[in-house]
Amino acid sequence: MRTLLKIKNNYSRLIFNVVVLVVLTSLSISCDSVVEVTDPDIVTPESLNSEAGIQTLRAGSLGDLAVAMSGSAAGHGATTGLIVMSGLMADEYSYSGTFPTRREADTRNLQDINGDINTIYGNLHRSRTGAETTIDLLANFGGNPEVESEMQSIVGYAYVMFAETFCGGVPFSKAPADGGELIYGEPLTTEQMFNAAVEWFDQAITNAGSNDKLANLGRLGKARSLLGLGQIDAAAGEVAAVPSDFVYNIEQSDNSRRQENGIYIMTTVRRQFSIADGKGGNGLMYRSAMDPRTPWDGGTEFGQDDITLYYNQLKFNSSSVPVALASGIEARLIEAEAAASADDAQTVENIHNELRAAMGLSELDLSGISGEDLLLAHFSERAFWLFSTGHRLGDLRRLVDVYDMMPSSVFPWGPYFKGGEYNPNLKFLVPQSESNNPNYVGCLD
């Protein structure tokens, strides 16, 4: 894989580029000093093999996860993240820009050379390998269970995001911490990715010890993996102890363009991702519902394409607003899904109304609703709570893969509003850049 080859062949420069704490050496321009150039690559392999270096690697892994998930203001035309691109694949956003790679996601007519998907793919793998390297290097210093726990959860979430949004066939190569030869990964099926995530989260929960925040992060990640495996009751049991006010955020910052919240940049600043309303017939009415969980404004000017009326999301209303990776609200939603799958409408109603009351929302009445209708009512509520956090594409795929619903009944379908049709493909493709891996097979499904 091209990204991992960079880790192997030029590891220190990669870390320099990806860590959050980037320090550049100033160059003094004068007749006497113009040729006295200080090497800016100050994060060397030797400096990484230290306790301070481990914190640098940890920060780099978290930074790469933020860019992979939220995107950033850095890069030519900014960088898209998994959240907005998967929102296009699902029903959260409609594309109001001109980049063909993003329109591919909006219609689900993806190519394996899609540059945006390749960037997301690379950033997720960089976050994962940075976390794995942090864990490996900790062994040289007697270990640090809490740092290990957090990094194990980050690895687990990388597996989850690949399983939920990409097709089966993703390889997970490893760049040894000592700079040895790259170990090429074998392609994993979706089920194998979810199972691997469960193993990582089990380790994270064990190492968290009495640190409730890290334990809850691991529990939620494991539960999310179990949902993908169709083990709904087990998922609910895993999060029973997670309090409703828990949250673990992907942090964003105005400190640098790379750290800015890319959702805000791509929507409010660049007007390329417009909050949808009944997308493709099956999409939820995120605007018409006038729900405080999906705040928006706009509809009076065009998006970046100068054709599409633009509707701006307001959930992320600045470049420093964090994005929840895991939360206690999600824990309660997992419990509600278990009740819905058991056709227990009263429990589903009770859970949702308790959450709604905390936000001043009116009560739901689910009496007389059962079967698929109950599941869809729950998934609708879940979509509003978790809007634009990277859950919706995985949720729609679960309705198809676990609950056996027809894709044409839950995904945007039929005529596309800019011409053509929505494609029946439901997943990101393994990008062609992975063909550097001799084990590459593309998509298994």
Side-chain angles (χ1 to χ4, degrees), residues 85-385:
M85 287 292 280
S86 65
L88 285 180
M89 290 279 285
D91 63 347
E92 293 179 319
Y93 290 107
S94 295
Y95 190 50
S96 53
T98 58
F99 285 59
T101 52
R102 296 162 194 173
R103 177 163 170 161
E104 284 181 14
D106 201 17
T107 61
R108 299 197 302 276
N109 187 23
L110 290 169
Q111 308 297 313
D112 62 5
I113 56 172
N114 186 294
D116 287 271
I117 302 302
N118 187 59
T119 297
I120 292 166
Y121 185 86
N123 282 326
L124 265 181
H125 273 306
R126 271 192 287 272
S127 177
R128 172 186 64 85
T129 56
E132 288 178 350
T133 301
T134 305
I135 295 165
D136 292 344
L137 289 177
L138 277 168
N140 297 336
F141 303 96
N144 183 321
E146 290 191 353
V147 174
E148 290 178 58
S149 174
E150 184 179 38
M151 292 293 97
Q152 285 159 344
S153 282
I154 296 307
V155 176
Y157 269 103
Y159 276 88
V160 166
M161 300 318 301
F162 278 119
E164 286 186 353
T165 59
F166 281 81
C167 62
V170 177
F172 292 79
S173 301
K174 184 174 178 61
D178 62 4
E181 288 296 314
L182 182 69
I183 303 169
Y184 288 107
E186 295 287 341
L188 299 186
T189 65
T190 299
E191 181 179 3
Q192 287 173 324
M193 286 188 268
F194 278 129
N195 279 319
V198 168
E199 293 177 5
W200 280 102
F201 288 123
D202 278 338
Q203 295 176 64
I205 294 166
T206 298
N207 279 323
S210 61
N211 187 316
D212 290 339
K213 181 176 182 179
L214 293 177
N216 289 333
L217 175 64
R219 291 178 185 125
L220 276 158
K222 181 178 179 180
R224 189 167 172 177
S225 309
L226 292 170
L227 288 181
L229 291 167
Q231 300 176 30
I232 312 301
D233 289 338
E238 195 64 43
V239 297
V242 178
S244 296
D245 61 355
F246 167 76
V247 65
Y248 180 98
N249 282 324
I250 297 172
E251 299 296 341
Q252 315 285 172
S253 172
D254 293 329
N255 288 339
S256 72
R257 290 177 60 79
R258 187 176 187 275
Q259 292 171 274
E260 291 186 60
N261 185 318
I263 305 170
Y264 169 78
I265 298 299
M266 284 295 184
T267 55
T268 305
V269 176
R270 297 193 175 274
R271 303 196 320 279
Q272 292 193 31
F273 294 79
S274 177
I275 184 170
D277 201 46
K279 181 177 177 178
N282 296 320
L284 298 181
M285 309 299 284
Y286 294 107
R287 300 197 314 265
S288 296
M290 300 304 291
D291 192 302
R293 294 170 295 184
T294 56
W296 62 276
D297 66 10
T300 59
E301 59 182 339
F302 292 121
Q304 186 252 357
D305 62 1
D306 286 329
I307 297 173
T308 308
L309 273 181
Y310 183 70
Y311 299 91
N312 180 44
Q313 67 76 33
L314 297 175
K315 181 174 182 175
F316 305 101
N317 58 7
S318 81
S319 58
S320 59
V321 174
V323 179
L325 178 64
S327 71
I329 290 175
E330 184 182 357
R332 303 291 81 78
L333 295 172
I334 291 170
E335 293 171 335
E337 183 170 337
S341 68
D343 224 9
D344 182 355
Q346 189 59 60
T347 299
V348 178
E349 181 181 298
N350 292 343
I351 293 172
H352 281 302
N353 284 338
E354 185 174 347
L355 291 175
R356 290 171 69 89
M359 199 168 180
L361 295 167
S362 61
E363 290 191 345
L364 293 177
D365 181 3
L366 300 179
S367 58
I369 299 178
S370 62
E372 284 192 359
D373 289 337
L374 180 60
L375 275 168
L376 289 172
H378 159 71
F379 272 80
S380 175
E381 273 293 285
R382 179 178 163 92
F384 277 88
W385 283 114

